[in-house]
Amino acid sequence: MYKEIINTSHKLSTKKYNKDMGNPKAFLTIPRQEAGYRPIHDRISDYSEVEQTLNSRDRKLQASRCMDCGVPFCHWACPLGNKQPEFQDALYKGKWEEAYKILNETNDFPEFTGRICPALCEKSCVLKLSMDSPVTTRENEAAIAETAFREGYIKPRNIERNGRKVAIIGAGPAGLAAAAAAYDAGLRDILILERSGELGGILNQCIHAGFGLHTFHQELTGPEYAQRYIDAVHERGIPAWTDCMVLDVSPERVLTVTGRDTGLQQVRAGAVVLAMGCRERSRGALNIPGFRPAGIYSAGTAQRLVNIEGFLPGRRVVILGSGDIGLIMARRMTLEGAKVLVVAELMPYSGGLKRNIVQCLNDFGIPLKLSHTVVDIQGRERVTGVTIAEVGPDRKPIPGTEIHYDCDTLLLSCGLLPENELSRGMGVTISPVTNGPVVDESLQTNIPGVFAAGNVLHVHDLVDFVSEEAAAAGRAAVRYLANGPQDRGREIPITFEGGPRYTVPASIDPKRVEGDLVIRFRVGGVMKNRRVRLYLDDEAVVSRKRPVMAPGEMEELKLTQAALAAHPDLKQIHIAVEEA
């Protein structure tokens, strides 16, 4: 079900239970009590509930049995990532509405799962493992849902069917997730525009595993991950124009579109989601001296040649840049029989994930030379050799450190650039750091009704987070159509010190925040033994210890709605990276 796709908040809870658990020792004195079934002679004569229910007092007592576990295995075992200790604690304290809100963060249909779920949470409960008497989590969940319906905590969310389109530019992981999320938020008039001939974007050529661990709790290949979203879009009947190029978008959200099947036409949209992704830096952007022989490819082009077209670009390979695609292609070329001689990186640290360095380089004995760059390319018709040299702190080559490699291929993995020509053309403010749009808490740009998500906004390290971010943008676009343009209100810029280069979002209007807000950023260099703190005015509301932080890996902080509500006169939002 698509619920698995939209619910991307399956992260381990960080709540300090020892401070908040109402009765952490109740399990010692209160036995497990199940509601049981109605007598057979009663239930065979009607269509009412088969299972009985406990009264509120007994239900709270059962919730109090949830103890102060160091590691809540119930949370780990639940496919939805439900926060069992937190909603049980709220239930025990009689805070039924709060319990429902916690449950609804990860579970769209607790009224169903509270009845028919096999309750893996109970099978993994510490009380089950130690006393064979787990907490009645499933029954508690059903009781919370029924109380929420009875007390009116659950309200219908009807979106006005006004016929205005949400136009989504791009059908990669961001565009597909935004479309499906907008549909599930109530909108039906959605159009996806994709310049390629198929949906799925770059994932179609990423045949290696490593996708979907956060979203689906499974390790998938790129095509498998993309197909789940493609299926979700098809199941909802969302139209997608492929082989279709968006030539221009006006500030009034009028898109000029041309395509093989559509011809030249204009599409007037009520809201636009920018999901164009990013592209690789080419050799022309790197200023490498030498001729222009054959055998020089971007890592992404080589990946497509090998994985989609079935061609091997070369036999002896040098790779410049240690971005994730370059690292993955070092392994891929090796597995296809090529000899990867070296991976040279200009910076003193790798631009890729640590796991890719281990799995793609170390496991295959491929050397990584940090603080090195290509200074010369030999060959006229075809690459015959490459010379690299060490660079100093100023990133200029150091004479006398040159190393020559005889090779026939040079792959470039020197960073990604968000595709924002359309954004600039319509007047979107672009960040000089990310080269992506500057957005607020709703992922809305400075142009009302225009939203951005995924790699067009800032380059991500994991596609799961692209989907999560894009789904939020899709829902925000639906809210915009339902409520119309709103005054910017009191936008509070997020300031930072000690390491971050930027934040997404760049500013927050506390009154327009829907649910908990994820703030993402990257640091400018390798940092060890740090503590990241998020301050609302002078109070640190989030504090995380980070043994290692690197530019190649995205950092994130979660700002809860409760923390914002506790600061009604908020004036400053600040992120500080400090010595631990």
Side-chain angles (χ1 to χ4, degrees):
M1 294 179 65
Y2 183 67
K3 177 171 62 177
E4 295 179 31
I5 295 175
I6 289 301
N7 287 338
T8 52
S9 57
H10 313 327
K11 299 181 176 65
L12 288 175
S13 173
T14 56
K15 186 169 182 178
K16 302 299 184 183
Y17 302 118
N18 59 335
K19 294 183 179 179
D20 295 298
M21 296 302 292
N23 190 358
K25 297 183 179 180
F27 71 95
L28 296 173
T29 57
I30 300 173
R32 174 183 169 96
Q33 180 184 0
E34 298 181 14
Y37 296 112
R38 295 168 56 211
I40 295 177
H41 64 271
D42 284 347
R43 66 182 194 242
I44 61 174
S45 61
D46 59 37
Y47 295 97
S48 298
E49 293 276 357
V50 172
E51 196 169 45
Q52 300 181 114
T53 58
L54 299 180
N55 58 50
S56 296
R57 177 181 175 277
D58 288 340
R59 181 56 61 205
K60 291 177 185 177
L61 288 175
Q62 288 304 299
S64 74
R65 298 182 69 245
C66 185
M67 60 184 183
D68 186 13
C69 296
V71 177
F73 295 119
C74 54
H75 175 92
W76 166 81
C78 176
L80 299 179
N82 285 344
K83 303 174 183 177
Q84 287 89 346
E86 298 180 55
F87 72 67
Q88 309 254 33
D89 182 53
L91 171 56
Y92 163 64
K93 295 174 181 176
K95 300 178 180 179
W96 291 88
E97 184 172 10
E98 180 182 335
Y100 171 72
K101 287 181 178 178
I102 295 171
L103 183 56
N104 190 236
E105 286 179 4
T106 53
N107 190 343
D108 290 335
F109 299 110
E111 63 272 25
F112 297 159
T113 56
R115 288 175 167 82
I116 62 174
C117 180
L120 301 179
C121 52
E122 294 188 21
K123 307 300 187 294
S124 63
C125 177
V126 172
L127 292 178
K128 167 69 174 179
L129 303 176
S130 60
M131 301 168 57
D132 198 27
S133 181
V135 177
T136 56
T137 304
R138 180 187 61 79
E139 291 187 15
N140 294 352
E141 185 177 311
I144 292 170
E146 290 304 310
T147 301
F149 275 109
R150 186 173 61 250
E151 299 298 329
Y153 304 147
I154 300 177
K155 297 180 175 61
R157 295 177 292 176
N158 295 323
I159 302 297
E160 181 184 356
R161 310 300 181 198
N162 48 38
R164 292 176 288 183
K165 280 191 176 80
V166 167
I168 298 173
I169 307 176
L176 296 175
Y183 185 98
D184 286 1
L187 193 70
R188 295 296 177 265
D189 198 358
I190 304 166
L191 176 62
I192 302 173
L193 302 163
E194 169 56 44
R195 68 185 176 190
S196 177
E198 63 277 334
L199 307 182
I202 194 69
L203 290 180
N204 290 322
Q205 68 185 50
C206 300
I207 65 173
H208 54 278
F211 304 92
L213 290 171
H214 292 268
T215 306
F216 301 109
H217 302 290
Q218 292 178 269
E219 189 173 37
L220 306 173
T221 65
E224 289 174 330
Y225 185 96
Q227 192 61 48
R228 295 204 179 188
Y229 280 95
I230 293 170
D231 292 343
V233 166
H234 288 332
E235 288 167 5
R236 285 154 181 75
I238 300 173
W241 295 357
T242 55
D243 288 313
C244 176
M245 176 68 77
V246 179
L247 303 177
D248 177 70
V249 184
S250 74
E252 293 75 32
R253 301 180 298 281
V254 177
L255 290 73
T256 303
V257 180
T258 184
R260 181 178 304 168
D261 299 323
T262 62
L264 181 65
Q265 58 179 287
Q266 288 189 323
V267 177
R268 184 177 297 275
V272 175
V273 177
L274 306 174
M276 294 88 72
C278 57
R279 65 172 180 268
E280 297 175 280
R281 279 192 175 92
S282 64
R283 178 185 174 182
L286 301 175
N287 298 319
I288 301 174
F291 294 98
R292 296 291 184 265
I296 303 175
Y297 305 89
S298 68
T301 300
Q303 186 181 55
R304 181 173 181 85
L305 287 172
V306 174
N307 294 345
I308 303 294
E309 308 295 340
F311 296 105
L312 187 64
R315 291 290 180 180
R316 292 178 61 82
V317 184
V318 170
I319 299 177
L320 175 60
S322 60
D324 286 315
I325 300 179
L327 299 176
I328 289 166
M329 282 310 297
R331 175 179 63 185
R332 189 78 178 103
M333 296 289 283
T334 301
L335 292 174
E336 290 296 327
K339 175 65 175 178
V340 178
L341 303 172
V342 68
V343 176
E345 169 58 55
L346 176 68
M347 304 302 290
Y349 48 82
S350 171
L353 295 172
K354 179 65 175 178
R355 73 180 188 192
N356 285 334
I357 297 173
V358 174
Q359 296 173 2
C360 300
L361 299 188
N362 297 352
D363 288 355
F364 292 88
I366 300 172
L368 170 62
K369 290 187 176 295
L370 301 176
S371 298
H372 281 73
T373 191
V374 172
V375 294
D376 191 27
I377 300 172
Q378 293 88 43
R380 285 182 175 269
E381 300 299 324
R382 173 82 190 198
V383 173
T384 59
V386 167
T387 300
I388 70 172
E390 187 177 354
V391 299
D394 58 358
R395 301 183 191 173
K396 293 182 180 180
I398 301 173
T401 62
E402 294 85 358
I403 305 173
H404 176 79
Y405 294 92
D406 290 326
C407 63
D408 57 19
T409 304
L410 173 63
L411 300 188
L412 305 176
S413 177
C414 302
L416 302 170
L417 298 172
E419 293 247 27
N420 275 297
E421 287 73 20
L422 287 174
S423 309
R424 291 186 178 91
M426 67 190 301
V428 169
T429 300
I430 301 296
S431 165
V433 178
T434 64
N435 290 310
V438 176
V439 296
D440 61 16
E441 72 291 330
S442 300
L443 300 175
Q444 184 173 218
T445 68
N446 60 300
I447 298 180
V450 178
F451 302 81
N455 284 350
V456 78
L457 178 56
H458 58 145
V459 178
H460 288 252
D461 51 358
L462 295 177
V463 72
D464 301 67
F465 298 151
V466 168
S467 303
E468 178 182 322
E469 186 176 84
R475 292 189 289 268
V478 176
R479 290 197 300 271
Y480 174 85
L481 291 180
N483 303 323
Q486 295 180 317
D487 293 336
R488 285 282 173 175
R490 191 165 55 90
E491 286 285 339
I492 303 174
I494 300 177
T495 58
F496 46 84
E497 64 176 331
R501 300 180 62 231
Y502 71 91
T503 65
V504 170
S507 62
I508 295 174
D509 181 348
K511 293 184 178 179
R512 294 196 300 177
V513 173
E514 293 282 337
D516 295 343
L517 181 67
V518 175
I519 301 173
R520 293 189 169 95
F521 64 91
R522 288 184 189 267
V523 294
V526 176
M527 311 176 77
K528 296 183 179 181
N529 196 26
R530 294 292 196 274
R531 183 167 292 279
V532 183
R533 289 189 171 92
L534 173 62
Y535 291 90
L536 298 185
D537 291 332
D538 296 327
E539 181 185 355
V541 296
V542 179
S543 179
R544 293 181 59 200
K545 187 174 182 180
R546 302 290 290 127
V548 179
M549 303 171 72
E553 300 192 22
M554 188 83 71
E555 300 291 334
E556 68 174 44
L557 299 170
K558 180 173 285 188
L559 176 57
T560 65
Q561 202 166 37
L564 283 173
H567 296 77
D569 300 319
L570 183 63
K571 295 180 176 60
Q572 184 183 36
I573 303 173
H574 186 70
I575 296 174
V577 177
E578 306 163 352
E579 293 282 351

